[in-house]
Amino acid sequence: MGTAESTKRKQMSAIPSTAQKEPNSHTSMADQKDNIDDFKVQTAKHPNLGSAPLRPHSEQSKDRMSKRLSTDSNGTSDGGVGSSTPVEVTALEESFRRFAIHGDTRATGKDLHGKNWSKLCKDCGVIDGKHITLTDVDIVFSKVKKKSCRTITYDEFRAALAELARKKYKEKTGEEAEAEVFKLIEGKTPVIAGVTRAVASPTVSRLTDPTKFTGSHKERFDDTGRGKGKAGRVDVVDTSGYVSGYKHRGTYEKKLNKLA
């Protein structure tokens, strides 16, 4: 009896259980759907599956996860707004961004507040004091921006420039006037306060010309206008003679030759 029971137990243990036969029975419907989608994509790319075998399921899961993360980080699908695809920036938009971040370390360059808008119009020459004044610039800014916002976007910026252009160049058509205003702004950067530019003028040229210096200032430069350094600032005493400060060294022989 003992031998028969042990043999029966061995036979029962050799039969695989339902859990062993179906280890992936707990797989969700979403994973099965993803596998089917991946199979369809690879079938379309590789009609001959014998020459292009399917990748392991673990690699496919990693690819799907990386795609989701990239989509979430970009905020849109491939090629849309926020995509990592580089977009060509015009000179006008580049100037808009430079003025938008001027003086504000937290600015992103996507919107422009009123202070920098006025600075842009002033630095780029849009404000001429005749056709366009600072008051006109402020009025246009308040007109194009949204009521709940304190900044304007790039599209609103172009609309504001278009309105100023029609007022600045009344004798030209709308497109020609806009083109003239855009030329004033394209490629410009904010002027930093406290930094002055060198201006060529007769007064400056006279003050920086060493040949026109007089007195002790003239002694600091040679005939070519090059500075002498310490020799031009300090009286160097010649101690080569038998008397300190003697300046007529070698003249005795010259006098004897003249007398002879």
Side-chain angles (χ1 to χ4, degrees), residues 12-66:
M12 293 296 292
S13 61
I15 300 174
S17 61
T18 306
Q20 294 177 350
K21 287 182 179 180
E22 298 178 0
N24 296 329
S25 60
H26 61 280
T27 304
S28 62
M29 295 297 293
D31 293 337
Q32 294 178 2
K33 185 178 179 181
D34 292 338
N35 293 337
I36 295 172
D37 294 338
D38 291 338
F39 178 79
K40 291 181 179 179
V41 172
Q42 293 194 14
T43 304
K45 292 183 179 180
H46 307 282
N48 187 6
L49 293 178
S51 60
L54 294 176
R55 293 177 297 174
H57 179 69
S58 59
E59 294 183 6
Q60 296 174 7
S61 300
K62 291 180 181 179
D63 292 343
R64 290 196 300 271
M65 181 61 67
S66 61

Side-chain angles (χ1 to χ4, degrees), residues 1-10:
M1 290 295 292
T3 305
E5 291 180 355
S6 62
T7 303
K8 187 176 181 180
R9 290 177 181 176
K10 290 181 180 180

